[in-house]
């Protein structure tokens, strides 16, 4: 019998109560207005004509790199020049929610070349991939040409074996982020398969933690050497569809952002080995009537924030840092795709929700917001996700 959350985490983690952490929805306090003295925000379009852009990253030189779900990379140079990046996506599996998804630059991107590899322009994508007739999800490592004209695969894949839903592409994840210790984190979806989130023999419905140089599990991952068939790469489990990973500067804290079924989109504070309580195994079916975090699961960890009912379809998240943000400094901002806009959460030092509000300048203006990302220049960059070639990359600054 495959190891499950009940077997591996029982007695390790304290049971958290959902109700104490809930914000939003029909059974929770109404969202507050922005804090007094909050800055007015200026929103400008950096790039248009995109189709389902999934992620954005900014290099130290100010260049912005954007990917699109159906395949393709575009660079916006500091002088505003837009450059299509030539890259091989011939094996891309793009179906439904799955395609070219998470994007991250190596923390050493643009610095002096690594003596061992000779690389200084390494970046990573998480994408659906088809090998013959079979499809899965892979993390691929690339290097970028100095002039941003060409990207070349250098580890193909860096991490493989992440399942995909080949019929519909449903719940493919997939977000990438670097932890404060340099580990590469990968948030995956459960593929809409009921057993996946609690099954530690599969990488679906998890957050993975890997060495970005090799793709191997780090030796202090919680299930390394467990001897029960658990995958060494797994850092946390019991997830439905991880759409965002946000690192809180200076704290070491990592938060996931997840879609709920018909209730309870969630933001979770991640802890090694923790079970976040999604267990839709209906005896061979995918039972989405169960709670997003099942309190009957031993050790299930409750959410920091939950939408309640109805859901708002939360997506990527990032923390705002820097004095320019004034009263917004330190907020976790999260893209919203159903009730469209940008959700702002104020958390205390322990990650407990203090208050929440919607950012007025982005409320129901640009449609579905997929990925808010804080740039190296301190500005907030946001991709929209409306489709039809009408999507844009936004730049948000405090006026």
């Amino acid at each position: 019998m495959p190891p499950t959350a009940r077997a591996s985490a029982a007695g390790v983690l304290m049971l958290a109560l959902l109700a104490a952490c809930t914000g939003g929805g029909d059974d929770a306090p109404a969202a507050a207005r922005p804090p007094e003295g909050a800055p007015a925000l200026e929103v400008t379009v950096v790039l248009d004509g995109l189709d389902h852009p999934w992620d954005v990253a900014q290099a130290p030189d100010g260049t912005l790199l954007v990917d699109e779900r159906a395949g393709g990379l575009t660079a916006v140079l500091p002088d505003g020049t837009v450059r299509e990046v030539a890259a091989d996506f011939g094996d891309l599996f793009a179906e439904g929610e799955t395609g070219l998804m998470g994007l991250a630059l190596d923390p050493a991107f643009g610095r002096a070349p690594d003596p061992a590899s000779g690389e200084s322009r390494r970046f990573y994508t998480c994408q659906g991939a088809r090998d013959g007739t079979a499809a899965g999800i892979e993390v691929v490592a690339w290097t970028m040409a100095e002039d941003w004209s060409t990207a070349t695969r250098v580890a193909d894949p860096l991490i493989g074996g992440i399942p995909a839903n080949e019929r519909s592409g449903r719940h493919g994840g997939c977000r990438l982020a670097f932890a404060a210790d340099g580990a590469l984190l990968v948030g995956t979806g459960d593929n809409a398969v009921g057993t996946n989130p609690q099954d530690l023999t599969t990488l679906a419905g998890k957050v993975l933690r890997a060495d970005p140089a090799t793709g191997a599990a780090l030796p202090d991952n919680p299930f390394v050497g467990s001897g029960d068939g658990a995958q060494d790469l797994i850092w946390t489990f019991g997830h439905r569809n991880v759409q965002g990973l946000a690192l809180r500067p200076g704290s070491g804290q990592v938060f996931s952002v997840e879609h709920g079924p018909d209730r309870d989109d969630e933001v979770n504070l991640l802890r090694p080995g923790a079970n976040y309580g999604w267990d839709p195994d209906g005896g061979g079916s995918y039972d989405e009537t169960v709670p997003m975090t099942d309190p009957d699961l031993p050790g299930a960890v409750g959410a920091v924030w939950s939408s309640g009912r109805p859901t708002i379809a939360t997506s990527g998240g990032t923390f705002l840092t820097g004095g320019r943000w004034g009263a917004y400094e330190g907020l976790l901002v999260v893209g919203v795709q159903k009730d469209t806009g940008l959700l702002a959460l104020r958390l205390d030092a322990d990650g407990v929700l203090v208050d929440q509000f919607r950012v007025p300048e982005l409320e129901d203006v640009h449609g579905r917001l997929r990925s808010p990302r804080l740039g190296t220049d301190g500005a907030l960059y946001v991709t929209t996700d409306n489709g039809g070639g009408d999507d844009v990359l936004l730049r948000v600054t405090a006026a």
Side-chain angles (χ1 to χ4, degrees):
M1 179 178 180
T4 65
R6 297 170 179 83
S8 59
V12 177
L13 304 169
M14 296 180 64
L15 179 65
L17 297 177
L18 288 171
C21 300
T22 299
D26 62 359
D27 54 356
R33 295 180 178 180
E36 187 173 346
L41 300 182
E42 182 177 337
V43 183
T44 57
V45 175
V46 176
L47 181 63
D48 60 12
L50 299 169
D51 190 52
H52 295 295
W54 217 95
D55 212 345
V56 58
Q58 188 173 40
D61 71 355
T63 298
L64 294 159
L65 184 64
V66 183
D67 66 2
E68 295 174 82
R69 191 175 66 200
L73 297 167
T74 303
V76 183
L77 306 186
D79 65 1
T81 300
V82 176
R83 182 162 296 166
E84 183 177 345
V85 180
D88 179 10
F89 291 109
D91 63 345
L92 184 69
F93 170 67
E95 183 70 36
E97 300 168 6
T98 297
L100 181 57
M101 298 173 285
L103 169 70
L105 304 185
D106 193 273
F109 188 95
R111 299 180 186 172
D114 183 287
S117 66
E119 296 174 12
S120 65
R121 299 181 64 79
R122 186 175 172 103
F123 71 99
Y124 309 83
T125 59
C126 192
Q127 58 195 70
R130 188 173 289 283
D131 181 8
T133 59
I137 294 171
E138 300 176 345
V139 178
V140 178
W142 307 71
T143 56
M144 179 66 69
E146 291 285 342
D147 64 357
W148 296 90
S149 63
T150 306
T152 304
R153 298 189 188 205
V154 292
D156 182 18
L158 179 73
I159 300 172
I162 304 171
N165 187 318
E166 295 189 55
R167 291 182 300 170
S168 67
R170 193 175 181 212
H171 294 184
C174 176
R175 186 69 67 174
L176 301 177
F178 278 90
D181 62 1
L184 177 62
L185 304 178
V186 184
T188 72
D190 68 4
N191 314 142
V193 174
T195 56
N196 279 347
Q198 298 296 316
D199 182 358
L200 296 176
T201 68
T202 176
L203 299 180
K206 313 295 190 298
V207 175
L208 315 179
R209 181 172 177 266
D211 181 338
T214 65
L218 291 166
D220 58 343
N221 279 2
F223 300 106
V224 169
S226 62
D228 57 4
Q231 295 263 11
D232 290 349
L233 280 167
I234 294 172
W235 194 49
T236 63
F237 63 108
H239 299 286
R240 184 173 183 266
N241 194 22
V242 178
Q243 293 285 285
L245 291 172
L247 278 69
R248 191 177 201 176
S251 71
Q253 293 174 340
V254 181
F255 295 82
S256 69
V257 184
E258 301 183 47
H259 284 172
D262 64 349
R263 66 183 189 274
D264 297 337
D265 295 325
E266 290 186 350
V267 172
N268 290 296
L269 175 56
L270 301 183
R271 303 169 186 166
N275 178 4
Y276 289 86
W278 176 240
D279 186 17
D281 181 13
S285 68
Y286 190 61
D287 181 5
E288 296 189 85
T289 68
V290 301
M292 183 65 167
T293 302
D294 186 348
D296 292 332
L297 284 176
V301 177
V304 167
W305 171 91
S306 177
S307 67
R309 184 183 280 115
T311 57
I312 59 174
T314 48
S315 187
T318 194
F319 282 89
L320 299 179
T321 60
R324 71 179 67 190
W325 290 104
Y328 281 179
E329 201 277 334
L331 290 173
L332 172 61
V333 291
V334 176
V336 176
Q337 298 191 307
K338 186 186 293 184
D339 181 17
T340 60
L342 194 68
L343 171 69
L345 304 177
R346 177 78 65 186
L347 308 174
D348 71 12
D350 295 322
V352 176
L353 182 67
V354 175
D355 59 27
Q356 61 172 310
F357 62 91
R358 300 291 283 268
V359 176
E361 291 86 348
L362 289 164
E363 187 71 4
D364 295 329
V365 177
H366 297 281
R368 293 159 52 91
L369 302 185
R370 165 67 68 181
S371 294
R373 291 282 205 169
L374 191 70
T376 56
D377 61 1
L380 177 67
Y381 293 91
V382 185
T383 61
T384 70
D385 187 19
N386 301 303
D390 295 326
D391 284 311
V392 298
L393 172 64
L394 303 171
R395 186 176 192 263
V396 184
T397 55

